[in-house]
Amino acid sequence: MQTLALTDGASLLGWTKTIAGNVFLIILLVRAVMHYAKREWGEMIGHIIAGVIVAGFVFATDQTKTLLTDIWNKVAG
């Protein structure tokens, strides 16, 4: 018989972020396809860019945060 292991708050937070991020990505993908069908290219590109940023935060949080911080520091000085 296998015992259930209790999870700590960090693993629960990571799991929650992953699920919420994936749901958000699915919503963005559906909306991008709808914009593609209507030939609204600017809206579709905006959704794709938002999806890339969200995917970066969901799947590579530390690297994305570092990248955006470096970009901000170069722009804002």
Side-chain angles (χ1 to χ4, degrees):
M1 185 166 159
Q2 190 177 21
T3 60
L4 294 174
L6 295 175
T7 58
D8 60 349
S11 64
L12 181 62
L13 178 64
W15 181 80
T16 306
K17 279 188 198 177
T18 301
I19 297 298
N22 285 334
V23 168
F24 192 67
L25 286 173
I26 290 169
I27 291 169
L28 285 175
L29 177 67
V30 169
R31 289 184 54 124
V33 169
M34 289 173 29
H35 288 302
Y36 175 76
K38 293 179 185 178
R39 297 181 182 250
E40 296 173 343
W41 307 118
E43 295 289 330
M44 184 185 72
I45 290 171
H47 278 83
I48 291 171
I49 291 170
V52 167
I53 293 171
V54 169
F57 276 113
V58 170
F59 299 113
T61 306
D62 295 333
Q63 293 89 348
T64 305
K65 182 180 174 184
T66 303
L67 175 70
L68 292 176
T69 302
D70 291 343
I71 290 172
W72 180 257
N73 287 337
K74 289 183 190 283
V75 170

